[in-house]
Amino acid sequence: MAHRMRVPLLGAGFAAAFTAGLLAHHLVPAAGAQSGPPPLAPQIINLFSMTDEEIGSLAPNSDLRSRLLAATPDGTVSVQSGNVPRHYHADANEIQLILQGEGSFWLGDREVQVKPGDLIIIPRGTPHAGSRATTGRFRALAIKLPPQRAGDTVPAPAP
């Protein structure tokens, strides 16, 4: 008699587990890989009319404000205002278009003069920044290829 009772209880256990699995499939979202950046949206952004407050708050231990404008799996575009200490990126190339401000900019082992309209190509591993504005505050459009990962800003000693 005990053997006959086990078969129906075992069948009932499988039925309960199957039902629970069906419910879980509909109630619990499926786990997946992290989603990438949001899709690009058509827009026009006037970088010259942005205030520093609209660009963002100061980054810790720096004079830099930054606002991400566009992001794809292949690269990012940001507007930056101010200055950061000399550093390099081990995994990202950077391209900066100076929009505002004139002064000196460290690029590799040399200090160069930059002004609005200058395009600065910074291959990964190249120390840069440590700028000193002589006219106005630096503002630049910064493109990172591929997107800069967290922790990829490495302090660089002064030459």
Side-chain angles (χ1 to χ4, degrees):
M1 179 92 170
H3 177 26
R4 284 189 210 154
M5 292 293 284
R6 273 191 223 144
V7 172
L9 286 176
L10 189 59
F14 282 129
F18 179 77
T19 303
L22 285 176
L23 288 174
H25 174 73
H26 293 288
L27 297 176
V28 177
Q34 279 188 328
S35 62
L40 294 178
Q43 57 185 311
I44 296 173
I45 303 168
N46 188 310
L47 301 177
F48 294 110
S49 67
M50 280 183 147
T51 65
D52 278 348
E53 289 71 30
E54 289 173 321
I55 293 174
S57 57
L58 288 172
N61 304 315
S62 77
D63 178 44
L64 182 73
R65 297 171 189 268
S66 183
R67 178 175 173 184
L68 182 65
L69 303 172
T72 73
D74 300 314
T76 59
V77 179
S78 300
V79 61
Q80 297 176 341
S81 176
N83 190 30
V84 293
R86 208 168 123 81
H87 66 281
Y88 67 90
H89 306 290
D91 297 323
N93 299 300
E94 185 169 359
I95 301 167
Q96 289 189 15
L97 173 61
I98 302 297
L99 304 170
Q100 178 180 319
E102 294 182 24
S104 64
F105 185 91
W106 280 102
L107 184 61
D109 60 354
R110 60 193 174 109
E111 190 173 15
V112 296
Q113 296 301 305
V114 296
K115 63 188 177 310
D118 286 345
L119 184 69
I120 305 168
I121 310 291
I122 310 164
R124 68 186 70 188
T126 303
H128 60 284
S131 312
R132 288 190 302 271
T134 55
T135 304
R137 182 175 172 84
F138 279 116
R139 182 171 293 186
L141 183 71
I143 301 167
K144 306 263 179 84
L145 304 168
Q148 180 181 340
R149 64 174 171 73
D152 189 34
T153 300
V154 182

